[in-house]
Amino acid sequence: MSGIKQMFAGMSESGKKRKKLYLAVVIASILIVSAVIAIVAGVKNSTTTSSSGAAIAASTHAILKSSCSNTLYPDLCYSTVATIPDVSKKVTTLKDIIILSLNITITAVEHNYFAILKLTKRKGLTKREITALHDCLEMVDETLDELREVEKELDQYPTKKSLTQHADDLKTLLSAAITNQETCLDGFSHEKADKKVRSALEKGEVHIEKMCSNALALIKNMTDTDIANAAKLTGVLPTNRKLMELDQTDEGWPEWISPETRRLLQSSSVTPNVVVAADGSGNFKTVSAAVAAAPTSSSSRYVIRIKAGVYRENVDVSKKKTNIMFVGDGRKTTIITGSKNVVDGSTTFNSATVAAVGPGFLARDITFQNTAGPSKHQAVALRVGSDKSAFYQCDIIAYQDSLYVHSNRQFFINCYIAGTVDFIFGNAAVVIQDSDIHARRPNSGQKNMLTAQGRTDPNQNTGIVIQKCRIDATSDLKPVKGSFPTYLGRPWKEYSRTVFMQSSISDIIHPLGWHEWSGTFALSTLTYREYQNTGAGASTSGRVKWGGYKVITSATEAQQYTANSFVAGGSWLRATTFPFSLGL
């Protein structure tokens, strides 16, 4: 018999009732106490959980604050990630912050695309405004691709490649993304009317540029730290082989092979996929038609041979046309020419006779030309935004803005580049090697500027390096050179970076060497360097005294501007089949 039943045995009915009431009170008391205990336990558990959550939030806050403090826009960096739901559960490392920041940036870029698209439907737009808006749409599209490629690269980081390759690829992609926003806005800087449209999209473009800048700074901090830590562990920087170890095999051609033998070896190694001939004897009559017929996103080289002739057209090798190669019959005989220019309603970006954007573009033995003339202002012969692109034995000839080295990594060798104002400009990471760079006669009252480099962010890995080149004047300028001062360059953007090294500089260059853009703008933030140049115009004794200008005296410092270091040439130049030099 159970204890409860025993309690009721032998009792009167009234006693039983009293016992039942007592039992009920006891049971109720037990339930109340149990409930109180449960509540207290729950409160204690809740307090512990809350305390733990606060600790996670504090940890996330600390990581965010520390990471964002190294960016140019720390408040934006912090707020971008801090407002993400359950962010404390998603952030434990700097890499987490970068990925979350990129996701938000991509969404912002997508929204901006539709905002720009809406602007294109405005009534009363000028021809150039319409062109500029379409340039912006192209820039937004490229930015999306670059940011998504950064995400893929981060997914593989840090084991897929060497740390330095990862770092260079990541910085190149984000540097290009930043440049795209600047290029969009630059399209609205030609007339007062342009400014109305510019003001409508400026906020969105600047916001995205700042977000890309923050992502670049975060990535630079992460990769720099990882490379430094790897160096501590191994005692050796995880870079491509040291320049001091480079041997003859690291050059494009051994010195003992004659130029003629090199030409024959190269010619025999290139088999065209299609032939362009103006007379109809090839597969296509125009270069544009051949490019349009080329496969998209090709991983193998697609060679378009362009037979001797003058091709009057504007050619666009879009981002989808990868690994395209133009092979001409000779720079004096194969000529692609156009005349689009700003005065007649184009944008600088859209004026290019040939625009090469698809990665891996190569060209040799061709002339790219814009004949608009000095009175038409900006008129581009060749614009390049193709990553790991290279040009061999090509002529690039125009007046103002001849060669637009827009973005990504580029290499030029044995080329001839001629123009007047800012005729090598842009924000790529580019090395121009063993080439002839000649100033032409400009309009009355104009000055010649060989370069106008456009770096806007100190973390961008961009700049113009001119190495082992010959700086001189064309025959029409030489007799009147005293009337048209010529300078090595001027700072188009705040962190402009240009280096002339190991080059022959004639007396065409003014003793000051460099010219300001506007007053004191960028004079302390620019990076202008000269190293071991020779010739009548190479003396640095009378050069400018700007804070950002310096004469390099150390080979170690100069090595950072070689093709191996500046454009990661050791990882891709050999595949071009063109000659090259990786070191000093």
Side-chain angles (χ1 to χ4, degrees), residues 112 116 119 128-129 131-141 143 176-190 194 197-206 208-209 347-349 404 406 492-493:
N112 207 38
I116 296 170
L119 283 173
R128 182 164 48 242
E129 286 168 345
T131 301
L133 286 169
H134 283 284
D135 290 349
C136 287
L137 290 175
E138 182 177 339
M139 292 297 96
V140 171
D141 197 32
T143 299
I178 293 169
T179 299
N180 289 339
Q181 316 317 308
E182 284 286 321
T183 302
C184 168
L185 293 176
D186 284 340
F188 301 93
S189 57
H190 301 291
D194 293 344
V197 181
R198 178 187 173 115
S199 64
L201 56 81
E202 188 167 22
K203 184 177 180 181
E205 288 296 311
V206 170
I208 289 167
E209 183 173 345
T347 58
T348 303
F349 183 83
Y404 192 173
H406 180 256
W492 181 27
K493 304 288 184 179

Side-chain angles (χ1 to χ4, degrees), residues 364-550:
R364 50 173 273 207
D365 300 314
I366 295 174
T367 288
F368 303 96
Q369 183 176 270
N370 191 310
T371 59
S375 298
K376 297 293 186 177
H377 302 315
Q378 296 94 335
V380 177
L382 174 66
R383 168 168 55 84
V384 187
S386 168
D387 191 31
K388 297 182 180 178
S389 55
F391 299 79
Y392 174 48
Q393 293 184 166
C394 290
D395 287 1
I396 301 104
I397 304 171
Y399 288 88
Q400 183 171 346
D401 292 1
S402 304
L403 173 58
Y404 192 173
V405 286
H406 180 256
S407 57
N408 290 301
R409 293 165 289 197
Q410 308 175 18
F411 181 76
F412 294 75
I413 189 162
N414 298 156
C415 291
Y416 173 80
I417 308 167
T420 56
V421 181
D422 307 333
F423 68 91
I424 303 173
F425 77 110
N427 197 26
V430 56
V431 173
I432 301 173
Q433 210 171 78
D434 194 18
S435 295
D436 293 282
I437 300 172
H438 287 188
R440 304 178 75 176
R441 179 172 178 162
N443 272 350
S444 179
Q446 286 186 323
K447 300 178 180 69
N448 286 328
M449 307 289 167
L450 270 59
T451 65
Q453 204 282 327
R455 191 168 66 139
T456 60
D457 190 306
N459 291 316
Q460 286 179 301
N461 63 346
T462 55
I464 296 171
V465 175
I466 294 174
Q467 181 189 21
K468 299 177 183 176
C469 290
R470 294 159 294 278
I471 313 302
D472 208 343
T474 55
S475 58
D476 64 337
L477 177 59
K478 283 184 178 180
V480 292
K481 61 186 179 184
S483 302
F484 301 97
T486 298
Y487 299 84
L488 296 174
R490 60 176 178 164
W492 181 27
K493 304 288 184 179
E494 189 173 2
Y495 294 94
S496 181
R497 179 161 62 178
T498 305
V499 179
F500 282 80
M501 62 185 194
Q502 300 172 301
S503 294
S504 171
I505 303 176
S506 79
D507 63 359
I508 191 64
I509 297 300
H510 192 284
L512 284 171
W514 308 83
H515 200 277
E516 68 276 1
W517 182 270
S518 178
T520 59
F521 170 74
L523 302 189
S524 61
T525 52
L526 58 78
T527 301
Y528 284 173
R529 302 287 185 265
E530 294 184 57
Y531 175 70
Q532 288 189 349
N533 297 308
T534 59
S539 173
T540 58
S541 61
R543 290 295 196 248
V544 295
K545 306 301 180 184
W546 304 339
Y549 171 76
K550 178 183 175 183

Side-chain angles (χ1 to χ4, degrees), residues 186-222:
D186 284 340
F188 301 93
S189 57
H190 301 291
E191 290 180 349
K192 289 182 179 179
D194 293 344
K195 294 181 180 178
K196 292 181 180 179
V197 181
R198 178 187 173 115
S199 64
L201 56 81
E202 188 167 22
K203 184 177 180 181
E205 288 296 311
V206 170
H207 179 67
I208 289 167
E209 183 173 345
K210 288 179 177 179
M211 292 181 78
C212 289
S213 170
N214 283 341
L216 174 60
L218 293 170
I219 281 174
K220 185 177 185 301
N221 184 35
M222 178 182 73

Side-chain angles (χ1 to χ4, degrees), residues 27-44:
I27 291 171
S29 299
I30 292 172
L31 290 174
I32 291 170
V33 171
S34 298
V36 170
I37 291 171
I39 291 170
V40 171
V43 169
K44 184 178 180 181

